[in-house]
């Protein structure tokens, strides 16, 4: 029994170590890449990008109604393959609804140029991210965050390198959004290849309406808390962009 506990503790510590490494790696990468991007594109370009990121985050609030913690509770009572598939498809559907809402917002906002294109690319990027939700959730439940972190960091490194190249070649700020979406797609592909090798294809089982409704119902309190946190962290950027200018958003964001 003690040997089993020791093995479990070792697994937990290893998983925690990988999660810590992920945070430090992202911090260092951001210091190198984000500062370079902000300096090159200046207050207007970088401010436009950050304003779009904040508005997209508000539209993506809907996906929080399938909470990762609620899904993890179900692995002991549901078929894992069916749970992963149902959680993934539901998150993706919520993200598609957010995309539709974002497009409607654009049509009435009067925004044009780089902001318009950046906003659409970031909405598509959100859908790509949600496609890996179920696979990532299962790896986290099994304390195998290493597989997700490695894929994510490989994609971030490639994306960071491409963003620095975009700066050196004097591409527009739109290129940064496109590269971000490409990085998410690359991460999704790596995670999926690992998942398929270990568990088989992602699409397994049928869509269970009852299970989906239960996941959403149990997620509501957590989703409300998450929504408040997102609004709290993003509303200042949006207020500055509306009351002052996107140039001021660029200064505030950096």
């Amino acid at each position: 029994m003690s040997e089993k506990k020791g093995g479990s503790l070792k697994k937990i510590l290893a998983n925690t170590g990988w999660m810590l490494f992920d945070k430090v790696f992202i911090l260092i990468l951001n210091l190198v890449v984000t500062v370079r991007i902000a300096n090159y594109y200046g207050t207007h370009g970088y401010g436009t990008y950050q304003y779009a990121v904040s508005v997209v985050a508000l539209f993506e609030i809907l996906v929080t109604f399938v909470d990762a913690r609620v899904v993890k509770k179900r692995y002991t009572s549901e078929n894992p393959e069916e749970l992963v598939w149902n959680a993934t498809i539901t998150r993706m559907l919520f993200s598609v609804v957010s995309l539709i809402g974002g497009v409607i917002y654009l049509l009435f906002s009067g925004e044009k140029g780089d902001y318009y294109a950046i906003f659409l690319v970031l909405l598509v990027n959100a859908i790509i991210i949600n496609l890996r939700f179920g696979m990532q959730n299962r790896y986290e439940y099994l304390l195998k965050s290493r597989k997700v972190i490695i894929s994510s960091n490989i994609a971030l490194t490639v994306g960071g390198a491409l963003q620095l190249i975009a700066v050196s070649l004097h591409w527009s700020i739109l290129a940064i959004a496109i590269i971000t979406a490409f990085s998410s797609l690359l991460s999704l592909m790596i995670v999926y290849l690992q998942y398929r090798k270990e568990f088989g294809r992602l699409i397994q089982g049928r869509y269970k309406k009852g299970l989906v409704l239960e996941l959403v119902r149990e997620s509501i309190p957590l989703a409300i808390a998450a929504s408040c946190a997102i609004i709290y962290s993003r509303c200042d950027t949006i207020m500055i962009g509306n009351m002052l200018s996107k140039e001021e958003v660029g200064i505030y964001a950096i």
Side-chain angles (χ1 to χ4, degrees), residues 186-204:
L186 179 60
S187 177
L188 171 64
M189 291 171 61
I190 296 173
V191 171
Y192 176 72
L193 290 174
Q194 292 181 107
Y195 188 90
R196 186 183 177 96
K197 183 178 180 181
E198 190 167 353
F199 302 109
R201 60 192 179 90
L202 175 61
I203 304 174
Q204 297 188 41

Side-chain angles (χ1 to χ4, degrees), residues 61-95:
I61 281 176
L62 192 59
V63 303
T64 62
F65 282 87
V66 180
D67 189 85
R69 289 160 291 184
V70 173
V71 175
K72 287 172 187 174
K73 283 173 56 181
R74 292 281 178 163
Y75 282 105
T76 55
S77 58
E78 300 287 342
N79 180 288
E81 283 72 28
E82 285 192 346
L83 180 61
V84 168
W85 169 241
N86 279 273
T88 299
I89 196 67
T90 306
R91 266 255 183 168
M92 192 188 70
L93 288 173
F94 279 146
S95 195

Side-chain angles (χ1 to χ4, degrees), residues 4 36 95 134 150 170 180 198 240 244:
K4 185 178 179 181
R36 181 76 179 94
S95 195
I150 289 175
H170 309 294
T180 298
E198 190 167 353
I240 290 171
L244 298 175

Side-chain angles (χ1 to χ4, degrees), residues 102-116 246:
V103 171
I104 293 172
Y105 151 77
L106 278 180
L107 293 175
F108 291 96
S109 67
E111 297 282 358
K112 297 179 181 179
D114 283 342
Y115 177 82
Y116 195 96
K246 292 184 177 64

Side-chain angles (χ1 to χ4, degrees), residues 13-244:
L13 290 175
N15 193 67
T16 304
W18 276 103
M19 294 172 70
L20 178 62
F21 166 77
D22 183 50
K23 301 298 182 186
V24 174
F25 181 85
I26 292 173
L27 174 62
I28 295 173
L29 191 67
N30 281 339
L31 286 173
V32 174
V33 178
T34 304
V35 173
R36 181 76 179 94
I37 290 171
N39 284 333
Y40 175 75
Y41 290 106
T43 55
H44 179 72
Y46 188 67
T48 299
Y49 181 81
Q50 286 298 323
Y51 183 77
V53 168
S54 294
V55 178
V56 168
L58 291 186
F59 278 100
E60 278 294 297
I61 281 176
L62 192 59
V63 303
T64 62
F65 282 87
V66 180
D67 189 85
R69 289 160 291 184
V70 173
V71 175
K72 287 172 187 174
K73 283 173 56 181
R74 292 281 178 163
Y75 282 105
T76 55
S77 58
E78 300 287 342
N79 180 288
E81 283 72 28
E82 285 192 346
L83 180 61
V84 168
W85 169 241
N86 279 273
T88 299
I89 196 67
T90 306
R91 266 255 183 168
M92 192 188 70
L93 288 173
F94 279 146
S95 195
V96 170
V97 173
S98 298
L99 171 66
I100 295 171
V103 171
I104 293 172
Y105 151 77
L106 278 180
L107 293 175
F108 291 96
S109 67
E111 297 282 358
K112 297 179 181 179
D114 283 342
Y115 177 82
Y116 195 96
I118 289 169
F119 191 85
L120 288 176
V121 172
L122 291 178
L123 283 173
V124 173
N125 178 59
I127 294 177
I128 296 172
I129 292 173
N130 283 300
L131 276 171
R132 71 169 188 250
F133 170 76
M135 296 180 288
Q136 179 175 327
N137 184 269
R138 189 174 184 182
Y139 276 130
E140 289 173 354
Y141 172 75
L142 296 172
L143 299 180
K144 293 183 178 181
S145 296
R146 173 176 61 89
K147 292 181 179 291
V148 177
I149 290 169
I150 289 175
S151 66
S152 177
N153 287 346
I154 290 173
L156 286 173
T157 302
V158 172
L162 290 175
Q163 287 177 352
L164 292 176
I165 292 172
V167 169
S168 65
L169 295 178
H170 309 294
W171 291 350
S172 74
I173 189 68
L174 174 60
I176 303 301
I178 294 173
I179 292 170
T180 298
F182 171 77
S183 298
S184 298
L185 182 60
L186 179 60
S187 177
L188 171 64
M189 291 171 61
I190 296 173
V191 171
Y192 176 72
L193 290 174
Q194 292 181 107
Y195 188 90
R196 186 183 177 96
K197 183 178 180 181
E198 190 167 353
F199 302 109
R201 60 192 179 90
L202 175 61
I203 304 174
Q204 297 188 41
R206 57 189 175 84
Y207 189 76
K208 300 175 69 173
K209 183 180 178 181
L211 173 60
V212 169
L213 291 176
E214 287 179 9
L215 291 176
V216 173
R217 179 178 56 80
E218 291 184 30
S219 296
I220 288 175
L222 296 170
I224 292 172
S227 300
C228 292
I230 293 171
I231 293 170
Y232 176 77
S233 63
R234 297 293 181 176
C235 68
D236 47 3
T237 300
I238 295 173
M239 288 172 62
I240 290 171
N242 288 327
M243 296 171 65
L244 298 175

